[in-house]
Amino acid sequence: MEEFLIVDGYNIIGAWPELSKLKDTDLEGARDKLIHMLAEYQSYSGMKVYLVFDAYMVPGLGKKYVQSKLNVLYTKEKETADERIERLVTNLMGRRKQIYVATSDMIEQHVIFGKGALRLPAGELLIKIKQNRKEVRDRIQPETTAKRNPFEGKLSNELKAQFERWRRGE
């Protein structure tokens, strides 16, 4: 089954403490950090992730680009992120597809649930991302902490000292 995750960008930024604090001084930095976190999550989870940012009061046609294999969408003028998310859910819906929408907006959660998508509250998504990071660290750590030279553990101290003297040319 193909899985999709659609994320309401500014809603998540406002809901996650680290990003909420960052947005007060550096909104672009908070967006970039969210993009980075979701790109990592996408690569490990195997889900196709769409990140939607609201450009409701900004003139323009909206835009879509891919950053770190993550689909980042900005809404067009006079379009809310909720409207874009609902349209995306409708377009993606199909057999053998599971769609999750990450937002803490209760009204939006009810609307997307009615369209057949599953809701994923902001706090739950943060927990999933942290769990994924821990799993990645756990998989990598044993490899990096393993001895680089297993032969070394089998040598006596005298023999190690002899090899070291030879290495130095003594």
Side-chain angles (χ1 to χ4, degrees):
M1 180 173 288
E2 204 173 1
E3 291 185 311
F4 297 91
L5 173 64
I6 303 170
V7 179
D8 185 342
Y10 290 128
N11 185 279
I12 297 296
I13 287 174
W16 290 357
E18 181 185 352
L19 295 180
S20 182
K21 196 166 136 182
L22 181 60
K23 84 167 169 87
D24 294 336
T25 56
D26 183 12
L27 182 60
E28 187 174 338
R31 274 195 310 254
D32 289 343
K33 189 164 184 120
L34 179 60
I35 289 169
H36 177 74
M37 292 169 80
L38 290 173
E40 279 182 354
Y41 180 73
Q42 175 178 257
S43 67
Y44 188 74
S45 69
M47 293 178 112
K48 182 87 169 153
V49 179
Y50 292 87
L51 177 58
V52 180
F53 286 111
D54 202 339
Y56 182 71
M57 299 300 280
V58 180
L61 302 172
K63 66 179 182 176
K64 175 184 179 180
Y65 66 94
V66 177
Q67 182 174 334
S68 302
K69 297 184 181 178
L70 178 76
N71 291 297
V72 181
L73 306 147
Y74 284 89
T75 64
K76 56 188 171 193
E77 186 178 4
K78 297 186 179 166
E79 178 184 40
T80 65
D82 293 349
E83 292 169 336
R84 182 69 175 107
I85 289 169
E86 291 164 20
R87 198 167 72 243
L88 196 53
V89 167
T90 303
N91 292 343
L92 290 173
M93 193 56 69
R95 292 174 45 131
R96 304 198 42 79
K97 290 183 180 179
Q98 187 61 64
I99 302 170
Y100 299 89
V101 176
T103 181
S104 288
D105 181 342
M106 273 315 256
I107 295 170
E108 183 62 11
Q109 287 180 1
H110 289 295
V111 170
I112 58 98
F113 192 69
K115 291 182 174 282
L118 298 174
R119 60 190 174 95
L120 186 65
E124 209 172 300
L125 178 60
L126 184 58
I127 290 168
K128 283 179 175 270
I129 287 175
K130 286 180 178 179
Q131 284 174 337
N132 274 7
R133 281 185 170 172
K134 184 183 180 317
E135 287 175 26
V136 168
R137 271 194 311 272
D138 291 347
R139 290 180 88 185
I140 292 172
Q141 196 164 9
E143 295 170 16
T144 57
T145 58
K147 284 192 173 188
R148 290 177 45 172
N149 187 354
F151 183 71
E152 180 182 357
K154 296 181 178 18
L155 298 176
S156 68
N157 288 334
E158 296 83 31
L159 203 49
K160 287 180 192 175
Q162 179 65 42
F163 281 137
E164 183 61 25
R165 283 193 300 276
W166 287 347
R167 188 182 72 79
R168 293 175 186 234
E170 298 173 0

